[in-house]
Amino acid sequence: MPGGSHTKLNLTAGIEKATDATLSEILLDNFVNFYDWGLLDKGGFYTISIPQSGIYGGDRHKLRLVDTPNYTAGRVWEGYRQNWVWEGSGNIDGVAQQPIDISGVYVNGTFYATGNVTKPFYIDYPLGRVVFDTAQPANSNVQVEYSHKRVQTLPAEGVSWFRQLQQNSFRNETNFQFQGSGGWVRLGETRVQLPAIAVEVVPARETKGYQLGGGQWINSDVLFYVMTENHWEAVNLIDTIVAQNDRTLTLFDSTKVAQSGVSPFTFENGKERELRGHAQASGLYPHLVDNYAYRKCWLYNSRAENITQLSTNLYMGVARCTTEVGPV
């Protein structure tokens, strides 16, 4: 091989190829998953049974027909909230109440189980949809029992398409069942329903030597943009984030997870969509940490910044922490 170590590119320890996930990408994946799982595990979900109405009315168990350029009209039906719980009943040990496992859908009063051949469909958990193999009439009555997460956790950068905040997504008593009206007129891929936490990693803010002969600690800042419709909810989430100060997390290796195939989702057009039956325990956040560990990460210097009211019923606050990972 030509050249020596002086001609080689330094990569983060544990990273073998330039195309593998870097430390910043690993931190982002881990913090999104940590808070998504952590809030769910502490009871951060709502269960929608049949029948189910909101405090202002509306039928939360009924789905609406989606007008989307990606599918034939009549195939896609969505709930009033996205981010359906896929982790599965029995896997949440932080609370006694468990989320619903979706066993099938009702179409015009007839139940069709998951995996049926008469009216096959799959569940799009991230976008909160039922996608049929064939189009259903526009006047169909499609109903489903499911659970959805209270908080949407996502990367602040690199999200698909151009996204807009959707306010009043819990108020499905008006406009929800009407195409072309209300906040649901936006494509599901472009919505961020509140409350939401958007995570940003500031790469390698500082490095410190580990020992004579090599190795270094890498310090990076992580920012959490908290967006809510209520001031108390912004305070609640920011306090929760800051409360993680002075603790150590085990990071999972994003590249190894991707190569392992443990994700409970299959893919369609490059997007995570269909769940392979019920959730695989191997794809849950605690199992990713246990089976695909990368490095220890210390969280410190957690703090909050001011909460700002941007408009009526729209609040934004920022929490941040510093992470130390090493030796790398």
Side-chain angles (χ1 to χ4, degrees), residues 40 43-50 52 60-61 63 79-90 92 95 97-104 123-129 144-151 170:
L40 174 67
F45 62 90
Y46 296 98
T47 291
I48 308 301
S49 303
I50 297 176
Q52 178 86 37
R60 294 184 168 183
H61 60 282
L63 307 187
Y80 79 108
R81 290 282 296 186
Q82 301 176 344
N83 209 15
W84 289 2
V85 177
W86 59 266
E87 284 80 355
S89 178
I92 312 299
V95 291
Q97 181 187 6
Q98 294 292 303
I100 287 179
D101 289 330
I102 298 177
S103 58
I123 305 296
D124 180 343
Y125 284 79
L127 293 181
R129 294 173 167 182
V144 64
E145 292 188 320
Y146 62 98
S147 297
H148 67 78
K149 297 174 184 177
R150 168 176 164 254
V151 180
F170 282 96

Side-chain angles (χ1 to χ4, degrees), residues 114-221:
T114 303
N116 81 91
V117 296
T118 304
K119 198 180 290 290
F121 64 89
Y122 71 83
I123 305 296
D124 180 343
Y125 284 79
L127 293 181
R129 294 173 167 182
V130 173
V131 182
F132 293 95
D133 285 14
T134 57
Q136 306 301 304
N139 62 351
S140 296
N141 183 1
V142 181
Q143 304 180 14
V144 64
E145 292 188 320
Y146 62 98
S147 297
H148 67 78
K149 297 174 184 177
R150 168 176 164 254
V151 180
Q152 186 171 7
T153 307
L154 71 164
E157 300 291 338
V159 295
S160 58
W161 301 21
F162 174 74
R163 293 206 170 195
Q164 291 179 296
L165 300 180
Q166 182 189 2
Q167 295 177 265
N168 296 318
S169 59
F170 282 96
R171 297 291 300 271
N172 71 314
E173 74 278 7
T174 58
N175 295 327
F176 175 64
Q177 291 292 344
F178 298 96
Q179 286 186 289
S181 63
W184 293 272
V185 71
R186 307 184 189 103
L187 291 175
E189 292 87 348
T190 70
R191 295 183 217 140
V192 175
Q193 294 182 326
L194 304 181
I197 301 173
V199 184
E200 178 185 3
V201 175
V202 180
R205 183 179 61 83
E206 180 186 23
T207 60
K208 296 184 295 184
Y210 173 64
Q211 63 183 4
L212 294 176
Q216 57 186 343
W217 301 90
I218 295 183
N219 300 86
S220 304
D221 281 350

Side-chain angles (χ1 to χ4, degrees), residues 206-246:
E206 180 186 23
T207 60
K208 296 184 295 184
Y210 173 64
Q211 63 183 4
L212 294 176
Q216 57 186 343
W217 301 90
I218 295 183
N219 300 86
S220 304
D221 281 350
V222 183
L223 283 73
F224 305 90
Y225 302 97
V226 175
M227 298 159 285
T228 69
E229 295 179 77
N230 305 286
H231 185 272
W232 71 264
E233 207 161 27
V235 171
N236 176 277
L237 291 174
I238 288 175
D239 281 351
T240 299
I241 294 169
V242 174
Q244 309 314 307
N245 189 57
D246 196 22

